[in-house]
Each structure stands twice: as C-alpha cells, then as structure tokens.
C-alpha cells in the first residue's frame, strides 16, 4: 500500500492567469493499492465519487494505459482536507495523487516532466497541477501537449492567509465568465504584473506585491460571482496585507502577509464578524517547497 501526501495550491497569483501557481502546507492524503475492483472510501464527511468517475482513479487508469498496462481496480482511501471548489487546487490534488500513485505502483516509468505534462493535459492548465506535484512556486507555459516549467523554492517571511467562503465556485463556471477577447493594453497590464510578481516575491521586494497582483484578465469578472469578496479585499489591505488576490478560479481570497503582522488572522476573523460577513473561514498557511510526497 502507498500513501501519498498532496499539497493544496493557489494558482494565478493575481496577474499570472494559467501561468503561475504555488503549493501550500495544507494537505490531502490518499492511500492506494491495486485491487481487482474499485473500492473508494473517504476518511471524512466530504462527499466523493466512489465509482469509476473518481478523478484519482481515472488519472491512475490513464497513467497505466499510457504505460501499456490495464488497471482493473483500485482500493483508495481519501482524506480530503483541501476544501472542494474553493480555488485551492482540490481537483489537481486528485490528479496528482492518481498519477504519482500509479507511477509508483509501476516502479516509476514516467519522469517528472512526463508527469507534469500528463497532469496539465488532464486538468487543461498547468498552474495548479505543476505546483501540487513539484512544490514551491512554479512558472509554467502549456501548449496543450507539453509544459515548459521552472520550479523555485521560496524561503520567505510571508504567510499566505486563505479567506475561504462557505460557498463554492466551480472552475468551469468561473472560466465561462471570462471575456473571449481583451484589449492590447490590458494584455500589457497583466504580463508586466505577472513578471513583477515572481521577481518581487523571490527577491523580497514585497512592497511591489499590491501592484503585482492587480489583473484585468479574470479577477474583475470572477469577483462578480463572489459575494462579499470586494469587502474582504478591502479589509485585508486595511489590516496590512502586501497583496490580495483571488486564489485560482475563486472563491477563496488569498492575502499575502508578513509574518511580523502577527495578529492578521485574528483581526481578519474579528473584522469579518464585525462587518456581518458570515461563514468565511480564515486559514493561515505558508509555502510548501516539497510538493507531492510518497510516504
Ligand atoms: N488558472 C485556472 C483558472 C486555475 O483561473 O481558471 C483554476 O483551476
């Protein structure tokens, strides 16, 4: 039996739509062994598909097929800490669990690049799957078949504070809200900021992050679908966050905060309550530099 630990991920990081993502120290666990039937259970209350539509199972089956093997069945036990449909990479965690588990069961036929490619092909974009596999902050370009990527480990004095609403926003719906075309000046707006984000994060020029997370490709459209998000952004900046952005496709709002801003989380919880914003959960996280790990 294999146990895999897979980190949550936060994609886009503001302006880096479908290109930037990082891994966080918030984990799902999956135990996996080959079986002659499908036997899928969860260790918690999260409802999960327990049949052949389960994303961990389908990803594992895909990898077996690519390597010329047939996967007849699988015994899976999922521990789902990462909340679903909240912009924290829960589906990417399933894909990576399936691929890494299957690859381990077969003795490691696919290398890291091949796993990165396959995960992006399953998900359709690489910015959650690549950091879920690799850890750190990942810059990725995906042409539909192949991902060119760079992983950088990050050692910062930053906390990533996830402010997670009690409502879901499915990625398909959040992508359907985006415009087909954007103006040239908006493309320039975003590409300059996406580049500024990585450079500023990695060199410690955190005062740039507020500008760097600004975006004209997705956040303004998605925030229309996220009740109270604008107020949450304003509160986070008032409490001294360096940058605040929609995590992945939303609806989680991520605040990047200096670790010396010691009471940010408590103040955020208090402020949400004072503003009458109910049902949001505040979770203090940091960057995971390890990525998926077979235990
Ligand atoms: N880059 C993706 C998006 C991440 O924003 O739609 C969500 O999976």
């Amino acid at each position: 039996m294999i146990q895999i630990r897979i980190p949550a991920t936060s994609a886009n990081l503001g302006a880096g739509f479908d290109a930037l993502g990082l891994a966080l120290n918030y984990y799902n666990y999956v135990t996996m062994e080959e079986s002659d039937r499908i036997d899928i259970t969860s260790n918690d209350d999260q409802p999960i598909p327990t049949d052949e539509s389960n994303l961990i199972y389908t990803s594992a089956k895909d990898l077996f097929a690519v390597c010329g093997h047939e996967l007849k069945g699988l015994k899976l036990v999922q521990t789902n800490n990462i909340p679903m449909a909240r912009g924290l990479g829960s589906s990417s965690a399933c894909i990576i669990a399936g691929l890494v588990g299957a690859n381990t069961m077969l003795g490691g036929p696919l290398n890291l690049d091949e796993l990165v490619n396959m995960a992006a092909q399953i998900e359709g974009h690489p910015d959650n799957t690549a950091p879920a596999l690799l850890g750190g902050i990942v810059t990725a370009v995906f042409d539909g078949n192949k991902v060119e990527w760079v992983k950088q480990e990050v050692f910062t004095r930053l906390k990533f504070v996830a402010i997670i609403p009690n409502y879901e926003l499915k990625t398909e719906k959040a992508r359907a809200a985006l415009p087909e075309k954007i103006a040239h000046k908006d493309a320039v707006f975003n590409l300059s900021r996406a580049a500024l984000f990585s450079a500023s994060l990695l060199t410690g020029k955190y005062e740039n992050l507020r500008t760097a997370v600004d975006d004209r490709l997705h956040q303004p459209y998605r925030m229309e679908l996220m009740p109270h998000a604008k107020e949450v952004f304003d509160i986070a900046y008032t409490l001294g966050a360096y940058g605040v952005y929609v995590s992945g496709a939303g609806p989680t709002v991520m605040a990047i905060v200096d670790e010396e801003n010691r009471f940010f989380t408590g103040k955020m919880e208090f402020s949400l309550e004072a503003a009458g914003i109910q049902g949001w959960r505040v979770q203090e996280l940091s960057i995971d530099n390890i990525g998926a790990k077979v235990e």
Side-chain angles (χ1 to χ4, degrees), residues 11-12 17-19 123 125 127-128 171 174-175 178 218 222 248-249:
N12 300 328
F17 181 76
D18 278 3
E123 178 89 320
H125 41 84
D127 48 332
N128 286 111
T171 299
R175 289 181 87 85
L178 306 183
H218 70 109
R222 289 171 164 174

Side-chain angles (χ1 to χ4, degrees), residues 63 96 99-100 103 108-120 129-135 138 146-147 149 151 290-293:
L63 187 137
I96 295 302
L99 294 182
V100 169
N103 201 43
L110 297 194
N111 65 29
L112 214 48
D113 281 318
E114 291 168 318
L115 292 173
V116 171
N117 292 342
M118 209 177 152
T129 49
L133 178 65
L134 304 164
V138 179
K146 191 172 184 311
V147 182
W149 57 269
K151 167 199 170 175
I290 298 168
K293 185 170 155 215

Side-chain angles (χ1 to χ4, degrees), residues 109-176:
L110 297 194
N111 65 29
L112 214 48
D113 281 318
E114 291 168 318
L115 292 173
V116 171
N117 292 342
M118 209 177 152
Q121 285 173 306
I122 295 171
E123 178 89 320
H125 41 84
D127 48 332
N128 286 111
T129 49
L133 178 65
L134 304 164
I137 179 170
V138 179
T139 307
V141 173
F142 179 47
D143 67 5
N145 293 304
K146 191 172 184 311
V147 182
E148 307 291 349
W149 57 269
V150 173
K151 167 199 170 175
Q152 285 158 296
E153 295 193 3
V154 188
F155 300 96
T156 65
R157 54 186 169 89
L158 298 179
K159 305 185 267 204
F160 284 73
V161 181
I163 310 153
I164 309 168
N166 58 358
Y167 57 83
E168 296 187 344
L169 178 55
K170 294 240 185 320
T171 299
E172 307 83 71
K173 186 175 172 194
R175 289 181 87 85

